[in-house]
Amino acid sequence: CALPISNKFKMKKPHYWRLWRKGYAMFDSIITTSQAKNAVDENNGTFVLLRLKDGFENILNGSKTMEILKSSCWNLKTPFFVLCCNDEDDKIIGSFICNKIDDLYCPVELPNISSLEQLPYHTKQWLVQSGLTYYQLCAMAKRRQRLYGWVVNSPVALDLPLMAIGEEYPPQAWKYLSLTGIQAQLALASASAL
């Protein structure tokens, strides 16, 4: 006969309002939608800071629905929240929700071709979604087995300095951030300014 497990031993899933009650309301100007708050909450306050080389306009207007990267984040569950910054002026320029990571097996799906009609269907879809040319995609895949496509959903334009999240410089490609880590960095920065 199995004994019932008491409620105090059951793990409860946190809700974003619990995080905000703990002092994370300062992130309301960055994590602006309930969908974004839920994605951050699902990943225990962790999200991604992504450096974009070509701006946020094409993501915002819907002509670019996939961001192609040479690596993927394995420590987060989809959907996850992505904060985007640019190269030029160290600003946060937008955010989106990544609800799927697709992969492209380069040796098979990027063959040497004489015509774009010879491309596999999956590769053609990547070109349409990413806004890249076949040759740009091949240049990214140089000597790589896989590329990763982060599918973009719910983009939001932002205009904030990177210092709003305690960062001085954009990452080389992307990096993990956590709400508790940012809060600690900001507290340390304000204490050292005194």
Side-chain angles (χ1 to χ4, degrees):
C1 173
L3 295 174
I5 299 174
S6 75
N7 283 339
K8 77 176 193 179
F9 294 111
K10 288 184 181 178
M11 295 294 288
K12 291 185 179 179
K13 194 189 263 182
H15 296 286
Y16 78 86
W17 58 268
R18 287 187 190 146
L19 293 175
W20 265 247
R21 274 192 3 210
K22 292 180 183 175
Y24 296 119
M26 61 192 280
F27 299 106
D28 282 345
S29 62
I30 298 168
I31 304 171
T32 57
T33 66
S34 62
Q35 188 179 12
K37 289 175 183 176
N38 287 334
V40 171
D41 184 49
E42 281 294 315
N43 287 289
N44 297 319
T46 303
F47 57 97
V48 171
L49 177 62
L50 173 67
R51 179 173 149 190
L52 296 177
K53 294 185 183 349
D54 56 357
F56 197 70
E57 297 78 26
N58 291 335
I59 290 175
L60 200 56
N61 69 26
S63 63
K64 182 177 184 178
T65 58
M66 181 183 282
E67 188 64 36
I68 309 293
L69 298 163
K70 296 177 184 177
S71 62
S72 185
C73 58
W74 305 110
N75 295 342
L76 297 179
K77 298 182 284 186
T78 55
F80 59 88
F81 180 68
V82 180
L83 202 54
C84 303
C85 61
N86 65 2
D87 278 345
E88 294 106 37
D89 51 7
D90 298 335
K91 284 191 149 199
I92 297 169
I93 54 175
S95 68
F96 64 86
I97 304 296
C98 176
N99 66 347
K100 179 184 176 189
I101 297 177
D102 197 5
D103 68 326
L104 187 77
Y105 184 59
C106 301
V108 172
E109 300 192 69
L110 289 175
N112 289 330
I113 57 169
S114 57
S115 159
L116 290 180
E117 286 77 37
Q118 296 173 322
L119 279 177
Y121 176 78
H122 189 228
T123 308
K124 288 179 185 176
Q125 288 302 110
W126 270 49
L127 295 176
V128 168
Q129 290 177 305
S130 69
L132 297 175
T133 68
Y134 171 73
Y135 300 104
Q136 288 171 321
L137 196 58
C138 286
M140 282 187 80
K142 193 174 186 178
R143 295 186 300 277
R144 293 201 169 272
Q145 289 291 311
R146 294 199 183 280
L147 289 176
Y148 300 92
W150 295 14
V151 178
V152 173
N153 279 308
S154 308
V156 174
L158 297 169
D159 185 17
L160 299 165
L162 270 175
M163 287 305 296
I165 57 169
E167 296 288 319
E168 291 184 41
Y169 306 103
Q172 198 164 21
W174 63 271
K175 71 184 272 186
Y176 293 112
L177 292 176
S178 73
L179 294 179
T180 54
I182 293 170
Q183 195 173 36
Q185 280 181 323
L186 293 173
L188 184 64
S190 65
S192 65
L194 294 175

